[in-house]
Amino acid sequence: MFEVELRGTVITDIASLYDELNRGFMQSEDWRLGESLDALDDLLYGGIGDAVGHDRIRVTWHDHELSRAALGVDTTASWYEAKLARPGTFNAEKITRDLAGLRAAGGPTYFDLVLEVFASHDNVELVLA
C-alpha cells in the first residue's frame, strides 16, 4: 500500500493543495501535477507518480477542516469565475449553473469536489484527520 499524509495547515488555496499533492505523490518525478480535478483523478488511478505499482493508496489528510475552509465558497467562486473569464475553453453554461448553485446553496465547494474525486476510487482510502 502506498501511503501519503497531506498537511492541511499548508493548504490555503487551490494552488497550495496541488503543491501538497505533488509533495506527497510526485517526489520521484521531474514534472508536477497540474491544478486540475481531472489530473487528481488520473493520479488516484495509480498510473503516475510515486503510487505506480501499488494497488492500494491511503491518504491521511491532517487538519482537513482548515483545508475545507480554505477551499470553501469564496475560493470555489473565484475558480468558477476564472473559468468563465476564458470563453470557449470551458462549458460556460454548466459553470454558470454550478456557480449559481454554489452562491445559492453554499456548495459543492472545491473541497467537496476533491472529496468526490477521492470517493470515486475504490483503491483509495481517504482518512480525514
Side-chain angles (χ1 to χ4, degrees):
M1 176 178 293
F2 182 74
E3 297 191 46
V4 172
E5 294 192 15
L6 299 179
R7 304 166 299 169
T9 56
V10 301
I11 299 171
T12 57
D13 56 16
I14 292 171
S16 61
L17 166 65
Y18 287 92
D19 288 343
E20 187 65 0
L21 289 166
N22 280 309
R23 183 195 62 78
F25 281 93
M26 303 294 285
Q27 291 182 17
S28 64
E29 299 290 341
D30 60 359
W31 59 278
R32 295 290 167 246
L33 188 68
E35 297 174 18
S36 159
L37 293 170
D38 289 335
L40 173 60
D41 192 44
D42 290 345
L43 176 73
L44 295 177
Y45 277 112
I48 58 175
D50 298 338
V52 170
H54 297 273
D55 59 346
R56 304 270 313 141
I57 300 170
R58 177 182 296 133
V59 177
T60 303
W61 194 331
H62 298 281
D63 299 306
H64 73 280
E65 288 297 339
L66 295 173
S67 301
R68 181 187 303 275
L71 302 173
V73 172
D74 292 341
T75 296
T76 309
S78 295
W79 177 64
Y80 283 136
E81 290 163 353
K83 287 177 173 287
L84 289 173
R86 297 174 51 197
T89 305
F90 301 99
N91 181 339
E93 190 174 304
K94 179 185 181 322
I95 293 169
T96 300
R97 278 193 317 268
D98 291 346
L99 180 57
L102 174 73
R103 288 184 171 143
T109 64
Y110 199 86
F111 184 84
D112 297 326
L113 298 173
V114 168
L115 294 186
E116 288 176 15
V117 173
F118 273 95
S120 70
H121 292 272
D122 293 337
N123 64 312
V124 177
E125 175 189 358
L126 176 62
V127 179
L128 297 176

